[in-house]
Amino acid sequence: MKAYYINLDRAPERRAHMEQALQGVDHERVAAIDGRLQPPTGQGLTRFEIACLESHREAWRRFLATPDAYACFLEDDVHFSPDFAGFVAQDNWIPANADAVKLDSYFNRVMLGAPAPAPLGRKLALLYTRHESCATYILSRRGAAIFLRLTENPTLPVDYIVFPEDPVGQKLRLYQLTPAVAIQDQLYLRHYARGLRFESDISKLDAPKPESGKRGALFTLKREAVRLYRQIFKAKRYLVNRLARGLKPEIVPFQ
């Protein structure tokens, strides 16, 4: 399958890193939309989050313009296991009902279904909870079409939509490869003391701020209500996964 990596024009060092890392892999660069050149959104997402999401959408559209059954999507700050190329060289290991397969790990606790054998001694399991980041993942044609529809009017960053809090509840079939074969640079530095110390391209400086007075109070009240709802939802989902499904929290390793 082809790998599409998303890269800003003003980040040539990341482009050089990805071109070297993807040697031997059929790949294509997708010029990322630059959040610095976009006006503040005035919405719940920053202009950088919108730019990131639209860049992923462009990569998905390129994939759907081909006859390919699957494609791999990458951000430009990832490091790969030596086994990575083997997983994009063929697609017969991907479950027929998969919308997405996550190939990286963010090291947050997740809940996975019963593991099935995957190539090169790894396992593949259904993902029942959110797993942060859209750094390295595979989409089927059905998955790409679904996520294009779900991101038409976004209120959340792209990784919250592709890997949401309750994938099964949203009728998404998302799988996790474990151990993972990709990891972002910041995590590589933190957990393995290795990496390239790429400077972040995302800024929160234009995040929406509450106004003063009555409108500010309403903003704060709405924000806290949403936060409380999410906490209740998350607790309920945890109990269902833990007690009804017998799942246990775990961290997906990188190897």
Side-chain angles (χ1 to χ4, degrees):
M1 71 187 76
K2 178 173 281 189
Y4 297 83
Y5 78 89
I6 298 166
N7 168 252
L8 284 164
D9 290 340
R10 59 179 167 83
E13 72 289 349
R14 292 186 178 218
R15 181 175 183 175
H17 161 68
M18 293 301 291
E19 289 293 337
Q20 181 178 8
L22 292 173
Q23 287 183 9
V25 174
D26 183 14
H27 65 277
E28 179 178 327
R29 176 180 178 265
V30 177
I33 296 170
D34 195 337
R36 291 184 185 178
L37 305 180
Q38 306 301 312
T41 65
Q43 303 172 3
L45 299 178
T46 71
R47 55 183 168 162
F48 297 95
E49 290 169 331
I50 290 290
C52 178
L53 185 146
E54 289 298 334
S55 299
H56 280 264
R57 283 172 56 86
E58 171 59 21
W60 303 340
R61 285 191 288 262
R62 289 198 193 183
F63 159 49
L64 289 178
T66 74
D68 298 341
Y70 301 95
C72 183
F73 301 91
L74 309 165
E75 294 183 346
D76 62 1
D77 62 342
V78 292
H79 300 272
F80 301 114
S81 159
D83 289 344
F84 169 77
F87 285 94
V88 294
Q90 56 185 348
D91 58 26
N92 57 3
W93 58 275
I94 301 174
N97 66 352
D99 296 316
V101 180
K102 188 170 176 62
L103 301 181
D104 69 314
S105 177
Y106 204 77
F107 295 107
N108 56 301
R109 292 187 178 277
V110 299
M111 290 188 178
L112 303 175
L120 303 173
R122 285 173 162 76
K123 303 290 185 183
L124 199 60
L126 198 63
L127 188 60
Y128 280 86
T129 56
R130 169 163 162 68
H131 192 175
E132 292 186 48
S133 101
C134 268
T136 310
Y137 60 99
I138 291 170
L139 291 185
S140 65
R141 298 188 69 81
R142 177 179 179 273
I146 287 173
F147 293 125
L148 276 172
R149 176 174 53 81
L150 292 178
T151 53
E152 286 178 352
N153 297 292
T155 58
L156 294 170
V158 63
D159 62 309
Y160 280 78
I161 297 172
V162 178
F163 298 105
E165 293 286 351
D166 186 16
V168 175
Q170 290 186 222
K171 297 183 171 23
L172 296 171
R173 303 293 289 185
L174 311 181
Y175 288 85
Q176 173 70 56
L177 185 69
T178 181
V181 292
I183 186 174
Q184 285 184 289
D185 189 66
Q186 59 170 323
L187 297 170
Y188 207 31
L189 284 164
R190 186 184 311 160
H191 294 277
Y192 297 90
R194 301 175 66 183
L196 297 175
R197 297 186 182 276
F198 288 129
E199 186 175 344
S200 175
D201 291 316
I202 301 293
S203 171
K204 301 294 184 181
L205 296 180
D206 71 335
K209 298 178 176 59
E211 301 179 41
S212 59
K214 184 180 294 186
R215 292 185 66 179
L218 288 174
F219 180 96
T220 301
L221 182 62
K222 180 180 178 180
R223 181 187 62 193
E224 293 305 314
V226 169
R227 182 180 300 173
L228 178 61
Y229 171 80
R230 287 178 177 169
Q231 288 176 342
I232 294 173
F233 173 79
K234 191 172 183 178
K236 179 180 178 181
R237 178 179 48 78
Y238 176 86
L239 290 175
V240 169
N241 286 330
R242 189 73 181 89
L243 301 179
R245 295 183 174 129
L247 307 178
K248 295 180 180 180
E250 59 183 286
I251 294 176
V252 176
F254 167 74
Q255 181 179 308

